[in-house]
């Protein structure tokens, strides 16, 4: 990563971050009903001081900006609550009430944000909700602004495909993603100059109640116009950018442009450190370019779902153009170098941004980084294998580590050599060597403490917040063992939003294949209410039959109209009853229709495993 930094004398970001301030939540703490603190922005008061030697000065500056908390006027009729979650809640005043854009992660923080708005702008009812995209920090708090019983008649707008993508991420690799996210966001680290000082995109993620109300209005094409509570909105679909389902939109009468999470005041992630599907930086740049042209001349301010707005049409165009060039350059230069034969790690060391982007604060790698983003682009096109046969069939980490330590002369000699690399100013290789010792000899406390110290050193010097958090959480695990609270992404509303195939997939990915190798069974699920009721009739998919087949340790499923052969067991049930089955209740308890051998269900579930939520990350 480059040592070249923009000018700290440029205070434009600070002026913009403070512009329009109306008031803050005092104290800046939000609690759950049981008294548990789920958000504490006041914990970041230490950022008002000068940067210490335990933090990168550029990241410290970003923390100072992101930690600002309160209600801000963006322009006449448009307000933002910032600093009450990792994301912003934007509120647009209509004829009768207020439209809420992106109601944060948690019900509790969203309710606090709405209350702060109402304290300064009056008790307007919520007359519309817009989800900009399919990530949890942009919909999870919706019940905080639309409690149960208040959503009827309130339009909820989202890009087409929102619901599928919003919930699918929490099914297939959800356990591993959530575990790694606790390292990425520094969950469990003290909020302190030598601990968690933010995540670059914001300060932290709230840990309250997650909710989801399905959209009632799909945005299906660029140019689609909707009027909500008398407010005109023009949409631009941007699928496959920062999220699989995402959109920008313009309020033409207010001359305000919402950029969702497609353009924020940092380099974003092409692949997050928690893990995800690799994003397409080429199409990301394309849609930013399209936004410049499509909305040209129609706005005076651009605001996003994170950070602070940019005022002035020409300033927004410049910002969008630089963000566009950032992702396009990252994509194209990685492709150029990989086509010359360079591998992902080699490209990450060679690639550097043009000077104009290096000197733009909003292009700095606080959340994504040039290093891991270039590796992600390589991965998108060529995958994990770099073409070198030596890397085709390497030993797994523990076995590889034992051999490295043996080559080094044993654990004591390896630790001594690692210390020499630390003294020589090469903590990167010291970390590699010490990591091998820890994996080869997990009980070696000297190696674990030495590695923890290296991780601290690397963390304190990192400009990227998520790198810092991973390093410091790694040090914490080495010293204290597996710790850290996990965010609970499960609740009835999220589960009800899953499609039936997703629910069946959630069983399939938990099957212990070797134990099920020799079994062969077929179960039909006849659904009575898999889709929502229509205006004129019953649920749209009533009667749909899903056939589950367990064969050779693999559970597969398909929809069948007229089965050619009978299933060993047929269950006739609704969506809620299916969820009850997955929660461990019996068909009899749930009143499910049973035809055939009920023992097949117990046999199927006997093969389903539940992963350990808090598995080790930096130790074997």
């Amino acid at each position: 990563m480059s040592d070249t930094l923009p000018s700290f004398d440029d205070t434009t970001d600070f002026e913009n971050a403070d512009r329009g301030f109306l008031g803050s939540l005092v104290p800046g703490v939000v609690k759950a009903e049981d008294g548990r603190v789920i958000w504490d922005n006041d914990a970041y008061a230490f950022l008002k001081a000068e940067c210490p030697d335990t933090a990168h000065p550029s990241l410290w500056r970003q923390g100072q900006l992101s930690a600002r908390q309160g209600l801000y006027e963006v322009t006449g009729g448009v307000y933002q609550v910032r600093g009450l979650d990792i994301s912003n809640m934007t509120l647009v005043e209509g004829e009768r009430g207020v439209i809420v854009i992106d109601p944060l992660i948690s019900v509790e923080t969203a309710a606090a944000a709405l209350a702060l708005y109402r304290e300064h702008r009056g008790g307007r009812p919520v007359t519309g909700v817009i989800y900009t995209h399919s990530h949890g920090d942009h919909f999870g708090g919706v019940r905080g602004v639309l409690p149960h019983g208040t959503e009827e008649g309130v339009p909820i707008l989202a890009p087409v495909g929102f619901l599928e993508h919003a919930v699918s991420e929490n099914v297939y690799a959800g356990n591993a993603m959530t575990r790694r996210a606790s390292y990425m966001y520094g969950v469990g680290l003290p909020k302190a100059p030598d601990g968690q000082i933010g995540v670059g995109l914001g300060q932290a993620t709230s840990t309250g109640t997650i909710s989801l109300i399905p959209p009632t209005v799909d945005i299906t094409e660029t140019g689609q116009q909707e009027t909500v509570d008398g407010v005109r909105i023009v949409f631009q679909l941007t699928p496959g950018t920062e999220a699989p389902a995402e959109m920008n939109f313009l309020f033409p009468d207010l001359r305000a442009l919402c950029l969702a999470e497609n353009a924020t005041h940092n380099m974003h992630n092409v692949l997050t450190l928690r893990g995800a599907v690799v994003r397409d930086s080429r199409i990301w740049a394309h849609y930013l370019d399209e936004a410049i042209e499509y909305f040209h001349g129609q706005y005076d301010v651009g605001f996003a779902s994170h950070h602070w707005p940019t005022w002035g049409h020409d300033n927004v165009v410049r910002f969008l153009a630089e963000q566009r060039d950032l992702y396009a350059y990252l994509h194209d230069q990685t492709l150029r170098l990989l086509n010359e034969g360079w591998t992902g790690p080699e490209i990450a060391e060679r690639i550097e941004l043009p000077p104009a982007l290096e000197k733009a604060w909003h292009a700095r790698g606080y959340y994504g980084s040039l290093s891991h983003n270039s590796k992600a682009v390589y991965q998108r096109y060529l995958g994990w294998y770099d073409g070198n046969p030596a890397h085709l069939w390497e030993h797994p980490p523990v076995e590889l580590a034992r051999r490295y330590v043996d080559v080094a002369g044993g654990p004591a000699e390896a630790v001594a050599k690692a210390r020499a690399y630390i003294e020589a100013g090469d903590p990167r290789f010291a970390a590699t060597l010490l990591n091998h010792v820890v994996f080869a000899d997990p009980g070696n406390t000297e190696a674990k403490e030495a590695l923890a110290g290296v991780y601290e050193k690397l963390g304190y010097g990192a400009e990227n917040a998520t790198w810092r958090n991973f390093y410091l959480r790694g040090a914490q695990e080495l010293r204290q063992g597996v710790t850290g609270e996990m965010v609970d992404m499960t609740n009835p509303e999220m589960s009800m939003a899953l499609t039936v195939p997703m629910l069946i997939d959630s069983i399939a990915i938990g099957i212990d294949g070797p134990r099920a190798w020799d079994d062969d069974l077929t179960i039909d699920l006849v659904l009575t209410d898999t889709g929502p009721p229509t205006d004129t009739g019953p649920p749209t998919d009533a009667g749909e039959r899903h056939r589950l087949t367990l064969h050779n340790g693999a559970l597969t499923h398909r929809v069948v109209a007229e089965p050619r052969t009978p299933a060993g067991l047929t269950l006739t049930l609704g969506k809620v009853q299916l969820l009850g089955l997955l929660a461990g209740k019996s068909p009899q308890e749930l009143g499910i229709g049973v035809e055939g051998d009920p023992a097949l269900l117990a046999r199927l579930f006997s093969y389903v495993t539940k992963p350990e939520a808090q598995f080790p990350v930096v130790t074997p």
Side-chain angles (χ1 to χ4, degrees), residues 74-93:
V74 177
T75 190
V78 181
Y79 299 83
Q80 277 193 328
V81 178
R82 303 199 288 272
L84 287 186
D85 217 319
I86 190 175
S87 47
N88 302 332
M89 179 193 289
T90 304
L91 305 108
V92 180
E93 294 176 353

Side-chain angles (χ1 to χ4, degrees), residues 35-88:
R36 179 173 56 91
V37 174
I38 60 118
W39 178 260
D40 184 0
N41 204 71
D42 291 349
Y44 293 101
F46 64 84
L47 285 165
K48 295 176 183 176
E50 292 296 313
C51 179
D53 59 7
T54 55
H56 193 291
S58 176
L59 181 59
W60 189 265
R61 174 188 183 276
Q62 183 78 350
Q64 291 178 321
L65 288 160
S66 298
R68 281 157 159 75
Q69 181 261 110
L71 176 70
Y72 297 81
E73 183 179 38
V74 177
T75 190
V78 181
Y79 299 83
Q80 277 193 328
V81 178
R82 303 199 288 272
L84 287 186
D85 217 319
I86 190 175
S87 47
N88 302 332

Side-chain angles (χ1 to χ4, degrees), residues 498-571:
L498 293 169
T499 64
V500 171
M502 287 177 185
L503 290 170
I504 299 171
D505 283 341
S506 73
I507 305 171
I509 62 177
I511 295 290
D512 184 341
R515 285 203 299 116
W517 280 346
D518 298 325
D519 209 340
D520 190 354
L521 60 84
T522 304
I523 298 175
D524 280 0
L525 304 180
V526 180
L527 275 295
T528 59
D529 63 349
T530 58
T534 64
D535 293 336
T536 57
T540 55
D541 296 323
E544 189 173 77
R545 180 184 295 262
H546 292 260
R547 172 152 293 190
L548 284 63
T549 301
L550 181 66
H551 189 65
N552 288 324
L555 181 67
T556 57
H557 59 94
R558 64 181 182 272
V559 175
V560 293
E562 296 293 333
R564 290 183 289 102
T565 56
L569 171 65
T570 299
L571 302 176

Side-chain angles (χ1 to χ4, degrees), residues 59 108 137 232 311 319 322 354 372 438 475 481 526 530 534 541:
L59 181 59
E108 297 85 351
D137 51 328
R232 289 196 303 132
W311 281 271
F319 171 60
E322 289 176 345
H372 74 254
V438 170
V526 180
T530 58
T534 64
D541 296 323

Side-chain angles (χ1 to χ4, degrees), residues 210 258 505:
I210 310 294
C258 177
D505 283 341

Side-chain angles (χ1 to χ4, degrees), residues 186-201:
V187 177
L189 289 175
K191 295 177 173 60
D194 60 350
Q196 203 264 19
I197 60 176
V199 298
L201 196 64

Side-chain angles (χ1 to χ4, degrees), residues 301-353:
V301 62
F303 64 92
S305 303
H306 295 271
H307 301 137
W308 49 94
T310 300
W311 281 271
H313 181 271
D314 291 347
N315 293 331
V316 178
V317 170
R318 185 182 308 110
F319 171 60
L320 287 174
E322 289 176 345
Q323 286 275 301
R324 172 202 64 197
D325 295 347
L326 174 64
Y327 297 113
Y329 186 91
L330 167 69
H331 175 273
D332 296 347
Q333 294 308 304
T334 301
L335 265 291
R336 178 180 67 84
L337 291 168
L338 75 80
N339 278 316
E340 291 178 1
W342 300 100
T343 65
E346 291 169 335
I347 293 169
E349 293 297 305
R350 293 178 65 85
I351 193 169
E352 55 183 350
L353 291 177

